[in-house]
Amino acid sequence: MSESEIPLSTVYPVCHRLLPVALTGLPDPDDLPRILTHHPEQITRHPFLANLAQIELICFQLHHQPPKLPDTIDAYMINPALELIETQWNRLPEFLGDQTIEPEPEAGMILIFRHPHDQSVQVLTPDNHDLLALKMISENLDSRALAMESEASLGQIDDIIYRAIQRGLLLAPPSAIRRDQDFPRGTITDPQRFSAPTFTLQWHITQTCDLHCRHCYDRSKRTEVSLDQGLRILDDLYDFCRARHVFTQVSFTGGNPLLHPNFKALYQAAADRGFMTAILGNPMPKERMEEILTIQKPVFYQVSLEGLEEHNDYMRGTGHFQRTITFLKLLKEMGIYSMVMLTLTRANQDEVLQLAETLRDQVDLFTFNRLAMVGEGAALASAPTDGFADFLVQYQEMAKTSPHLSLKDNLFNLLRQQQNQELGGGCAGYGCGAAFNFVSLLPDGEIHACRKFPSPIGNIFKESLSAIYDGHMARQYRNGPEECRDCEIRPVCGSCLAVSHGFGLDVFKHRDPYCFKE
């Protein structure tokens, strides 16, 4: 059917019902908005029909002949299937769906676009944030300059862009935090396993701690990061993540991060830049948590328990278990997502499931990391490698009826492969995420691929995070052990480098000593 043969009611389903009979037999449907604009006497009963016809024509065109989206996107851009038109009537988008609504004479703007994800054609009245987002991208405005000019935070400005992306007004480049082309794929075909939307900086802002745990990985003396240094670090992190088109999370830790004299200022600065924030710390008083909530609710607050009360207090200090249980109740009252981490050793392996049951209704997520025999943890005995698979089976079985149990350890995926079950993301969502979707930053500027063992890849006071991330050592840690390259599930496993290091293995060559793959 040619364009001239398309029924007017198909192109203009609402207008057609309101048109005078004389206008229902046009030879070319595209002429209707022009005719109504130049002959307003034809539509005295519904003077808004010229604008409405323009909207319906664009909707029809976007639905049947949308502009082609680019194959690749290198920078934020306005959706090519978007039209911004001026109107002399408001409430027209609502009128399209409900003709009992009465449009009113008032000049304004209308957005008509085809959503890039679900392909739906949408009509809306843009708000100031929509228009600002389009202006920022069309005129290539700098977010920092705009934030200073408008006295808004950088995060507030960027949120306007992210909101416009979610609404389909803007198109965003894909994440540049992605596995190299030569990274082993195994049998994994899901592209989401090779590209991360978020980058996490695990930031140890201080070594100061109110505990002295027997398995502490690092009690060395390190200069505490100053406020000025911290602000420069956050700016560098912002530039790094913006250039790689990813969201940013800062996980504040230490030591105990809340003991840093400038913790509140650094936390505020991270929130002001639009970063998600999390805390890995110790139980704190209610008033300190209220201070944090006035700035930004953390994505989660993680504390640690090492077993049932007697063993935990032997490891972390008398009274720590009960203080932590009380603190978990406080987090629940305040609506803060709570996590409990356990370091798995030979001494506490038999207590893990009992502790998990104790915490069933008290914590949002419980998980464990295997001991890395590093620092003071070198004096402890690791869980036995023989029988580790059996322990995973028991844990996984309990997890079926205990939704707070997380299958974090990479080797759960090896177990699930053997059981023909769906694979998870492993330790960091991408198997070992060391120097991939996270790095650890120490108080004196040292950056490590993973905090659980010495894995230095650079110093942020000497070079940018971007240069460090793209450097040779970071790439080595991302590539992982050579012995894992041919594994079918490499993208969601890749061993635990910290555990291998603790066993004296070469982390770039040898697979995880707990690996039970034949």
Side-chain angles (χ1 to χ4, degrees):
M1 182 181 293
S2 67
E3 185 173 295
S4 60
E5 295 174 322
I6 298 174
L8 204 66
S9 59
T10 299
V11 183
Y12 307 97
V14 177
C15 284
H16 182 264
R17 295 197 297 271
L18 305 175
L19 284 172
V21 175
L23 291 176
T24 58
L26 294 176
D28 185 351
D30 287 3
D31 285 342
L32 183 61
R34 178 182 57 80
I35 292 173
L36 294 178
T37 299
H38 290 90
H39 299 281
E41 72 280 358
Q42 296 275 6
I43 52 172
T44 53
R45 288 187 58 198
H46 303 291
F48 53 83
L49 280 185
N51 283 163
L52 190 65
Q54 184 183 11
I55 292 171
E56 288 200 291
L57 176 60
I58 294 173
C59 287
F60 179 83
Q61 293 169 338
L62 288 178
H63 183 75
H64 293 279
Q65 294 179 320
K68 185 178 184 299
L69 298 181
D71 294 329
T72 59
I73 301 173
D74 300 320
Y76 296 116
M77 63 179 291
I78 295 174
N79 182 352
L82 179 145
E83 297 276 353
L84 178 64
I85 65 171
E86 296 183 8
T87 68
Q88 286 71 51
W89 295 81
N90 68 9
R91 307 189 76 188
L92 291 178
E94 295 87 346
F95 182 80
L96 280 172
D98 182 358
Q99 280 78 67
T100 64
I101 293 174
E102 192 67 30
E104 300 169 349
E106 182 179 349
M109 310 289 286
I110 297 289
L111 275 174
I112 312 163
F113 61 98
R114 181 169 172 139
H115 200 286
H117 300 307
D118 63 16
Q119 307 307 314
S120 62
V121 175
Q122 301 182 22
V123 182
L124 59 85
T125 302
D127 59 24
N128 290 336
H129 283 178
D130 293 327
L131 296 175
L132 178 57
L134 296 173
K135 179 181 176 67
M136 288 175 64
I137 300 306
S138 64
E139 299 181 13
N140 196 28
L141 300 182
D142 180 72
S143 295
R144 281 198 176 96
L146 192 59
M148 292 181 63
E149 179 183 332
S150 61
E151 297 184 351
S153 72
L154 189 55
Q156 289 171 322
I157 296 299
D158 282 347
D159 280 347
I160 292 172
I161 296 293
Y162 297 140
R163 174 178 179 263
I165 293 169
Q166 292 172 342
R167 285 160 75 85
L169 310 183
L170 301 179
L171 304 184
S175 167
I177 300 294
R178 53 178 177 263
R179 297 294 192 185
D180 294 337
Q181 288 300 315
D182 63 348
F183 186 82
R185 260 58 178 170
T187 58
I188 308 297
T189 58
D190 183 354
Q192 293 185 353
R193 297 298 189 195
F194 303 94
S195 177
T198 301
F199 181 83
T200 297
L201 180 71
Q202 188 184 67
W203 193 6
H204 299 256
I205 58 176
T206 181
Q207 295 288 84
T208 303
C209 191
D210 45 333
L211 302 176
H212 192 135
C213 303
R214 294 177 182 269
H215 62 292
C216 185
Y217 297 130
D218 185 2
R219 296 290 297 184
S220 63
K221 300 294 183 182
R222 294 179 184 267
T223 304
E224 209 161 55
V225 63
S226 70
L227 179 57
D228 286 344
Q229 288 173 325
L231 296 178
R232 290 196 295 272
I233 287 169
L234 291 172
D235 283 338
D236 188 11
L237 176 64
Y238 175 88
D239 291 339
F240 172 85
C241 291
R242 184 67 183 264
R244 284 164 168 77
H245 317 300
V246 290
F247 296 104
T248 312
Q249 177 174 307
V250 179
S251 295
F252 287 91
T253 185
N256 185 347
L258 275 76
L259 297 183
H260 190 290
N262 293 311
F263 168 78
K264 187 177 178 181
L266 291 172
Y267 191 87
Q268 177 75 65
D272 286 345
R273 285 158 178 76
F275 300 161
M276 295 177 286
T277 49
I279 300 172
L280 288 69
N282 299 332
M284 296 300 293
K286 181 178 182 179
E287 56 268 22
R288 291 302 306 276
M289 300 308 302
E290 289 174 336
E291 287 181 355
I292 291 170
L293 287 182
T294 62
I295 299 171
Q296 177 170 285
K297 180 189 286 189
V299 177
F300 63 83
Y301 194 115
Q302 178 179 298
V303 293
S304 296
L305 288 172
E306 307 308 333
L308 300 176
E309 186 168 1
E310 181 179 355
H311 180 73
N312 177 82
D313 287 3
Y314 168 75
M315 294 292 293
R316 289 187 168 267
T318 302
H320 176 266
F321 186 90
Q322 289 301 327
R323 288 198 304 274
T324 301
I325 295 298
T326 300
F327 184 66
L328 290 174
K329 294 177 182 176
L330 174 64
L331 293 178
K332 179 173 286 190
E333 291 171 3
M334 303 181 86
I336 298 174
Y337 191 91
S338 61
M339 295 172 57
V340 167
M341 173 66 71
L342 174 142
T343 299
L344 186 70
T345 66
R346 187 181 299 266
N348 68 5
Q349 181 169 307
D350 290 341
E351 296 187 6
V352 172
L353 299 185
Q354 291 176 271
L355 177 62
E357 180 60 31
T358 299
L359 297 174
R360 176 181 290 271
D361 298 319
Q362 302 190 59
V363 69
D364 292 302
L365 185 144
F366 171 80
T367 191
F368 67 87
N369 276 327
R370 283 174 280 145
L371 172 72
M373 292 183 288
V374 173
E376 296 185 12
L380 302 179
S382 291
T385 55
D386 292 341
F388 183 65
D390 294 333
F391 167 74
L392 295 184
V393 169
Q394 296 171 20
Y395 185 99
Q396 181 179 255
E397 188 62 28
M398 183 176 179
K400 293 178 181 178
T401 56
S402 305
H404 66 298
L405 266 63
S406 168
L407 307 183
K408 180 177 186 287
D409 195 292
N410 285 337
L411 293 182
F412 275 114
N413 276 325
L414 178 54
L415 176 65
R416 296 175 75 81
Q417 181 201 31
Q418 294 178 351
Q419 297 172 336
N420 294 315
Q421 296 186 37
E422 182 179 354
L423 303 179
C427 179
Y430 307 88
C432 177
F436 174 57
N437 64 324
F438 74 86
V439 295
S440 292
L441 172 61
L442 305 192
D444 57 3
E446 276 189 16
I447 292 185
H448 289 244
C450 173
R451 184 64 181 105
K452 291 172 59 183
F453 75 111
S455 49
I457 57 177
N459 191 300
I460 203 166
F461 296 148
K462 298 178 180 179
E463 53 186 334
S464 69
L465 177 57
S466 182
I468 293 170
Y469 186 87
D470 292 333
H472 171 70
M473 289 307 300
R475 291 181 184 276
Q476 270 200 293
Y477 284 108
R478 282 199 290 276
N479 287 337
E482 292 177 8
E483 291 182 355
C484 292
R485 289 194 65 84
D486 295 330
C487 179
E488 299 93 332
I489 62 168
R490 171 62 184 92
V492 292
C493 187
S495 297
C496 177
L497 304 185
V499 170
S500 295
H501 175 87
F503 273 77
L505 302 175
D506 185 333
V507 300
F508 302 128
K509 292 183 179 179
H510 302 128
R511 65 177 180 171
D512 194 315
Y514 287 82
C515 178
F516 46 90
K517 179 180 176 63
E518 295 180 1

